[in-house]
Amino acid sequence: MQLGDWHTGVKILELLFRRFYSGSASDDHCTMFADRNLINRRNVREDPHTAYRADRDFMSLEVTARVVAAAFHVLGLQSRQDKPKNFPIPENLASQSKLHQLQFLHKAAAKIVDDVVIDETMMNGSLEEMVSMQERQEILEEALDAPSALHSSSTPPSKDADDMFNYNAALLSEGLYFLNFVDAVSEGDGGRIIRQYKYLMLLCKADGPHSTKYALESLYQLLLANSLSEKEAEIFVWNRTVKQSRWTWKEYLP
């Protein structure tokens, strides 16, 4: 693993904690700090640089809990023994091939992602946060110079917006991104790692002066992957990690 990728994982976790973890939110139910107090995770710190492993495990637990809660909500489950009401399981699914069972599982997961993780309002809000004040001022000045371009498709936030749902949907989305990056590094998936840098560049840009260098480094990674020769780009993308766990060739036999 490239040392830079490990530091990138720490940086992503730092961005998430800065956005979702607040020491003054102990009374706000379903927030990270309230959950930390509820399950007594005293080793969790506000700065992941001082307790990366504890914060990483806590973030994984938070995301997993919200995935389960989202599955219960979207699929219409009341208990672990209950059958989904909103996504019925075929009676003959147990007798079908593993491929058909896996396809059904993917459809159920896609429904959860579409209904909870990829929320249009939340995503639009995140994109708006990624536009700096200077860029907004430039856009406003251009709009004033061209009155015909003043039409905006954005709508003001609703007064009836569910802040708790929006918070947890955003945490679930960003948390899955972090786990995806960590998993890509663990699996040595160079192509997936490079794709993660695209979104990281936007996150770091939105974070302002705190993360300017990381935004530039993310851009540099993308430039190298797309501007080098085909052979050099292949080496750069796929020779950055190695799977260290033990395995035998028998595991890959059909």
Side-chain angles (χ1 to χ4, degrees):
M1 178 184 69
Q2 280 195 0
L3 188 60
D5 290 335
W6 185 86
H7 283 288
T8 299
V10 178
K11 180 61 180 180
I12 296 174
L13 191 59
E14 176 193 348
L15 292 173
L16 298 187
F17 265 70
R18 188 180 300 164
R19 182 177 181 184
F20 297 106
Y21 189 90
S22 174
S24 60
S26 58
D27 295 331
D28 297 333
H29 297 294
C30 297
T31 61
M32 288 185 63
F33 189 72
D35 292 344
R36 177 253 191 193
N37 293 340
L38 181 64
I39 62 177
N40 198 25
R41 284 292 183 95
R42 299 183 181 181
N43 57 345
V44 174
R45 297 289 182 266
E46 189 170 359
D47 184 7
H49 291 88
T50 60
Y52 171 72
R53 185 179 295 273
D55 288 1
R56 180 200 62 190
D57 294 343
F58 180 63
M59 176 60 70
S60 177
L61 180 63
E62 288 285 277
V63 173
T64 302
R66 282 158 178 79
V67 169
V68 174
F72 270 63
H73 173 72
V74 174
L75 302 182
L77 295 169
Q78 299 297 329
S79 66
R80 291 183 298 176
Q81 293 76 25
D82 198 7
K83 293 184 178 181
K85 298 178 181 178
N86 302 333
F87 200 80
I89 300 177
E91 296 292 339
N92 61 341
L93 182 63
S95 60
Q96 293 183 3
S97 65
K98 291 186 177 180
L99 178 60
H100 284 85
Q101 295 176 2
L102 185 61
Q103 290 175 343
F104 179 82
L105 180 61
H106 284 175
K107 290 180 181 179
K111 179 176 177 60
I112 297 171
V113 171
D114 291 340
D115 290 359
V116 179
V117 179
I118 304 179
D119 181 78
E120 184 177 356
T121 303
M122 182 270 295
M123 292 298 292
N124 289 338
S126 298
L127 291 175
E128 289 179 0
E129 291 180 1
M130 294 177 183
V131 180
S132 65
M133 293 300 297
Q134 181 179 357
E135 290 171 329
R136 293 182 185 180
Q137 184 65 26
E138 292 176 355
I139 293 174
L140 179 60
E141 292 176 356
E142 292 178 0
L144 292 176
D145 293 337
S148 60
L150 284 174
H151 302 287
S152 175
S153 59
S154 61
T155 57
S158 173
K159 295 182 180 180
D160 299 329
D162 190 340
D163 293 335
M164 182 180 293
F165 174 82
N166 292 337
Y167 170 90
N168 285 279
L171 175 58
L172 181 58
S173 176
E174 305 294 348
L176 286 173
Y177 165 70
F178 169 70
L179 296 183
N180 189 19
F181 183 87
V182 172
D183 181 70
V185 173
S186 175
E187 294 296 327
D189 192 341
R192 186 150 53 111
I193 294 174
I194 294 299
R195 289 195 297 271
Q196 304 305 312
Y197 275 105
K198 294 181 181 180
Y199 189 67
L200 176 62
M201 181 174 60
L202 297 177
L203 287 179
C204 292
K205 183 179 183 300
D207 194 45
H210 298 286
S211 306
T212 301
K213 292 182 179 179
Y214 279 90
L216 292 175
E217 180 61 28
S218 299
L219 177 61
Y220 179 64
Q221 297 286 323
L222 296 174
L223 289 175
L224 287 178
N226 292 277
S227 61
L228 294 174
S229 66
E230 183 177 355
K231 179 180 179 180
E232 291 175 335
E234 184 78 7
I235 294 175
F236 173 75
V237 171
W238 294 103
N239 282 14
R240 60 193 301 123
T241 58
V242 61
K243 186 68 174 178
Q244 296 181 350
S245 62
R246 295 182 179 180
W247 60 275
T248 61
W249 58 271
K250 294 182 180 179
E251 297 177 4
Y252 294 88
L253 290 178

